[in-house]
Every structure is written in C-alpha cells, then in structure tokens.
C-alpha cells in the first residue's frame, strides 16, 4: 500500500510539520506500507525520494518517476495550520477520491476556527473562558474590554496554531501591540478572560473503535503562558501524567471525550484546558497535533506504552474505512 506522508504547509507552523512528518516516516510499519515523503509548500508540491524532488500532479495527487505514474492509496496528513488543518487539503482529497487520516473537511474547518468551536461547544455545556470576538477595522475600546473580561486577558488570532500571534495583556498599555501581533496572523481575533489555574493538554483519539484519552500532560511554562517558545524551544516543563487528584483526572477524561465526540472528531487530537477550581475549562483543540520528538502527543503515547507504529496503523485503518462525503 502506497502511503503519502504529507507535511509542510503554508504557515509558520511548516517547520514543526516537517519534524512531525519525519516521526511518522521513522515509525510507520514498512513491512505493511510503502511510505512516501510528500511536501506541500506555498510554491511547490513534491515527493522527495533520496534527495530528488518529483512534482505532484494536482489533477490526481500523483507523481511520475522514470516514466511511471505513482498513485497513493492513502494519505497520512501531518500538516499543521493551513492548508492541512483547516479543511482545504481535506476538501481537495475528497474531490480526487483519496482517503486521508484525521477528521473531514468540515470538522477541520470548524475546529481551526476558535470562535466557531466555542460556539458549538457552548451547546454541550463545556466550561470555557469568557471571550469577545473582533474583526480588523472594528472600533476597539480597551476600557470596555477590561471591564467585561478583567485583567489580565489574552488576545489571540481566531485561526492560527502553535500559539502564533497570542499575547497576554496585563495592562491596557500592552493592548495595541497585542492587537497588531494577533492581526498579523488573522483578520479576526478573540480576546479571552484569564483563567487562573493549571494548564493541561489532553491527547484524544479514536483507538480501536473507542474514544480514548491517550494521556494528560501538565504544562508549566517558563514564560507567562504556553507560547511558541515554551512549546518548541524547551521553555516549559511538561509533566505526564499531570499532577491531578483522581477526581479531577476523571473530570478531565470525561470532558475531553465529550469535546472530541461533540465536535465529531476522528483520529489524533490534542485538547488544551485550564483546570480552575477543580473544573477543566476548554481552551482549544488541535486536529493535527505536533508529532516532533519534543511534542506532547508522542510523549503521551510513550507513557501509555502504546507503540507509535500501532497508532499510525490505527490512523490508516480509520482512513481506509471512511467513504468520501460525496459518496455517502
């Protein structure tokens, strides 16, 4: 079975995605699958074989090598951010009739949009921070925001990952800089109230037909919050399992499963929460979590004593079982 391990992307997350793709290539069962390294970048799509690039034919997501057309049987998608985590690639693979790992184009687009995700989850009584949604060009009244949310608060791009464009605002003097930082990533932003509690990250997936919590990791950042440096440059302590009481741990597991199922997820995910007053408050969910050696999801798999090749097998099996939306 020809498996395209697809990585890269069009955002600043592409560097992390390339590392994630390498982890998949290193752990995929080569007795069962023939993996191909496929890069999706802004200027080119190609399959990389022994250092040589072979252009991807966008008509059917294939490539030609020695005058032979090579087709893929399934896609393992490890693109973080656009276009692989926001539904664009998923829509394209649906059209060319290729099975792919992870959730479908609608769930991908939904969960990449923080405002829409929070709106859906509000129907399921999932605790969360208070928030204000703004668009570039709106009149922004800092005093009104502080009166509604209190200080400090967070300013975030509505559609972005890896904490890109996120700032903690401790004083209204910091607000203009935080707004510029967020609007550089997206034209829509969320401003969220500060939750004073323990930050945790929860790996959830459909494993052997069941919604399964892979692990709960406590995040102790050196910076003010779990920003890009804390996530990828070693400026945090990540403790698995998180230091939670049994009662709170059970609440986290129940809530994480509820989020996963309420959003119609399939495949790998990582949901972030703040546990405040023993209650897990939802922050966001990533449908293509980082899989570099420094990333949380592989750490949780190791703690759960599940071989990563088994998780990849599981992803491919789920992908092969699912029919494209237009065939249903």
């Amino acid at each position: 079975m020809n498996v395209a391990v697809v990585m890269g992307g069009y955002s600043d997350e592409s560097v992390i995605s390339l590392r994630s793709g390498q982890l998949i290539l290193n752990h995929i069962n080569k007795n069962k699958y023939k993996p191909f390294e496929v890069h999706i970048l802004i200027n080119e799509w190609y399959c990389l074989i022994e250092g040589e690039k072979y252009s991807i034919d966008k008509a059917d997501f294939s490539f030609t090598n020695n005058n032979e057309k090579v087709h893929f049987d399934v896609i393992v998608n490890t693109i973080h951010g656009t276009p692989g985590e926001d539904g664009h690639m998923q829509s394209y693979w649906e059209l060319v009739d290729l099975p792919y790992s992870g959730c479908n184009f609608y769930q991908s687009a939904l969960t990449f949009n923080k405002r829409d995700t929070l709106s859906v989850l509000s129907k399921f009584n999932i605790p969360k921070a208070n928030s204000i949604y703004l668009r570039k060009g709106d009149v922004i009244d800092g005093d009104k925001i502080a009166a509604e949310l209190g200080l400090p608060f967070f300013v975030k791009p509505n559609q972005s990952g890896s904490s890109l464009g996120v700032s903690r605002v401790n004083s209204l003097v910091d607000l203009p800089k935080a707004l510029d930082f967020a609007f550089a990533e997206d034209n829509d932003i969320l401003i969220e109230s500060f939750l004073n509690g323990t930050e945790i990250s929860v790996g959830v997936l459909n494993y052997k037909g069941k919604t399964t919590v892979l692990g709960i990791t406590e995040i102790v950042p050196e910076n003010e919050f779990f920003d890009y440096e804390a996530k990828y440059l070693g400026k945090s302590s990540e403790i698995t399992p998180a230091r939670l009481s049994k009662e709170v741990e059970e609440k986290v597991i129940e809530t994480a499963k509820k989020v996963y199922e309420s959003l119609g997820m399939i495949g790998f995910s990582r949901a972030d929460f703040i546990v405040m007053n023993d209650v897990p408050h939802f922050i966001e969910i990533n449908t293509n979590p980082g899989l570099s050696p420094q990333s949380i999801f592989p750490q949780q798999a190791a703690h759960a004593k599940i071989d990563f090749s088994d998780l990849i097998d599981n992803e491919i099996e789920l992908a092969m079982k699912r029919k494209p939306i237009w065939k249903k």
Side-chain angles (χ1 to χ4, degrees), residues 40 50-51 61 111 164 186 206 219:
I40 303 297
E50 297 180 352
F61 206 71
T111 54
L164 294 169
D186 190 19
N206 180 327
I219 310 298

Side-chain angles (χ1 to χ4, degrees), residues 12 114 140 143 180-181 215 223 248 250 252 286 320 327:
D12 291 339
K114 295 180 178 69
I140 297 175
D143 291 325
D180 289 344
F181 192 42
N223 299 343
V248 173
E250 289 173 357
V252 169
N286 297 274
M320 297 302 293
K327 283 190 175 181

Side-chain angles (χ1 to χ4, degrees), residues 144-154 169 172 191-194:
K144 186 176 179 181
I145 292 168
E148 184 172 341
L149 301 181
L151 283 166
F153 55 73
F154 283 92
V169 174
L172 290 181
I191 302 181
E192 291 186 338
S193 60
F194 172 66

Side-chain angles (χ1 to χ4, degrees), residues 114-115 117-123 125-131 192-193 195 273-274 276 279-284:
K114 295 180 178 69
R115 179 198 65 171
T117 303
L118 293 171
S119 178
V120 169
L121 290 178
S122 68
K123 311 299 181 186
N125 299 315
I126 304 293
K128 63 187 187 309
N130 296 322
S131 62
E192 291 186 338
S193 60
L195 298 174
F273 297 87
I274 300 289
M276 186 172 70
V279 176
H281 290 67
F282 175 80
I283 303 299
E284 65 179 15

Side-chain angles (χ1 to χ4, degrees), residues 162-277:
S162 295
S163 296
L164 294 169
V166 178
S167 300
R168 172 172 158 162
V169 174
N170 296 308
S171 165
L172 290 181
V173 174
D174 304 324
L175 181 58
K177 182 179 179 181
L179 292 172
D180 289 344
F181 192 42
F183 280 130
E185 295 291 331
D186 190 19
N187 288 332
D188 302 339
I189 65 169
L190 273 183
I191 302 181
E192 291 186 338
S193 60
F194 172 66
L195 298 174
N196 188 15
T198 301
E199 185 163 1
I200 58 171
S201 196
V202 188
V204 189
L205 72 160
N206 180 327
Y207 186 57
K208 298 184 177 179
K210 292 184 179 180
T211 302
T212 301
V213 169
L214 190 61
I216 304 172
T217 298
E218 180 179 345
I219 310 298
V220 186
E222 294 177 16
N223 299 343
E224 282 190 316
F225 64 98
F226 197 41
D227 60 6
Y228 185 92
E229 286 187 339
K231 285 182 177 178
Y232 301 114
L233 301 180
K235 293 193 174 183
S236 68
S237 297
E238 297 162 4
I239 303 165
T240 307
R243 297 170 295 185
L244 304 173
S245 69
K246 189 65 179 175
E247 181 183 359
V248 173
E249 181 184 316
E250 289 173 357
K251 284 183 186 177
V252 169
I253 291 171
E254 179 185 347
T255 304
K257 287 182 176 179
K258 187 175 182 181
V259 167
Y260 187 90
E261 292 172 353
S262 299
L263 293 171
M265 294 292 98
I266 300 173
F268 295 171
S269 77
R270 197 195 72 236
D272 299 332
F273 297 87
I274 300 289
V275 178
M276 186 172 70
N277 300 324

